[in-house]
Amino acid sequence: MLTYLKVPAGQYVLQTAAGSVLGRQVIQLAKHWGIKTINVVWRAEQKEELKALGADEVISTDEDEDVATRVKEIIGGKLAYGAIDPVAGTLTKQVVASVRDGGQVFLCGSLGGNDITIGMGDLFRGVCVTQWNLYHEMASAERRKVFTDGVSKLMEAKIIVPLVGETYDLGDFQLAIKKTLEVARGGKVLLSS
């Protein structure tokens, strides 16, 4: 998604669910490419952790921070070059309002609900809201190879480091499932045999 947004080095990308495994990987890759990040989280306690990972700015919705207002403050009255939004729902309206004229917002999840809200004024500014789906990206063998080779190299170079939580023996799969339902579980739950 970050590649398709074509954010120039030194410009800002906005992302929601920044404390997720995907969000952390976006922060790592953006930092490597010289792209600045504005990261939206639900819990204020994630702010320092994400800044330590390389996030430039972190906005917390549990502190009633208005995303569009904060983005303008951070960028000096300007808007983000583009955005990645796995939350959707009512937050999408603030995300779209935070993106430059003619910018792109990729919706890649529905953590905030299946329906989105968008301001008509933002559509008139030419902000394009598009659904992005990894399964579509992996549909052809050629694209799948390019994607997996690229990600593998980034992981080997430790540019992208996945956040791994607890590991469970395959026989304890019920405990692992229970752990996946916890908020702030500290990374992806793994099963091993």
Side-chain angles (χ1 to χ4, degrees), residues 31-96:
K31 185 175 180 70
H32 176 69
W33 286 344
I35 298 168
K36 296 180 181 179
T37 59
I38 301 174
N39 304 276
V40 180
V41 295
W42 289 338
R43 297 182 324 276
E45 64 264 16
Q46 293 179 298
K47 282 184 166 185
E48 292 309 313
E49 182 182 350
L50 293 182
K51 285 189 175 185
L53 186 63
D56 292 287
E57 299 289 342
V58 184
I59 299 169
S60 172
T61 57
D62 76 350
E63 293 178 330
D64 294 325
E65 292 185 86
D66 180 77
V67 175
T69 300
R70 284 289 295 128
V71 167
K72 288 178 185 175
E73 289 172 0
I74 291 165
I75 309 179
K78 296 180 181 178
L79 297 170
Y81 192 87
I84 298 170
D85 183 13
V87 174
T90 58
L91 185 58
T92 298
K93 184 173 184 176
Q94 291 185 58
V95 171
V96 174

Side-chain angles (χ1 to χ4, degrees), residues 126-172:
V127 179
C128 181
V129 180
T130 307
Q131 184 270 345
W132 193 92
N133 187 318
L134 180 60
Y135 298 113
H136 173 74
E137 294 303 312
M138 303 289 269
S140 77
E142 181 182 327
R143 288 171 77 170
R144 191 168 40 252
K145 180 167 178 31
V146 168
F147 178 81
T148 55
D149 287 352
V151 170
S152 295
K153 288 176 184 171
L154 291 166
M155 291 176 78
E156 285 172 13
K158 302 218 182 293
I159 292 164
I160 295 177
V161 181
L163 179 64
V164 177
E166 294 182 35
T167 301
Y168 291 84
D169 184 81
L170 191 56
D172 294 327

Side-chain angles (χ1 to χ4, degrees), residues 159-192:
I159 292 164
I160 295 177
V161 181
L163 179 64
V164 177
E166 294 182 35
T167 301
Y168 291 84
D169 184 81
L170 191 56
D172 294 327
F173 72 92
Q174 290 177 329
L175 290 173
I177 291 171
K178 185 177 178 183
K179 183 68 175 178
T180 65
L181 300 175
E182 292 179 15
V183 175
R185 66 184 167 273
K188 293 294 182 189
V189 175
L190 300 180
L191 287 173
S192 67

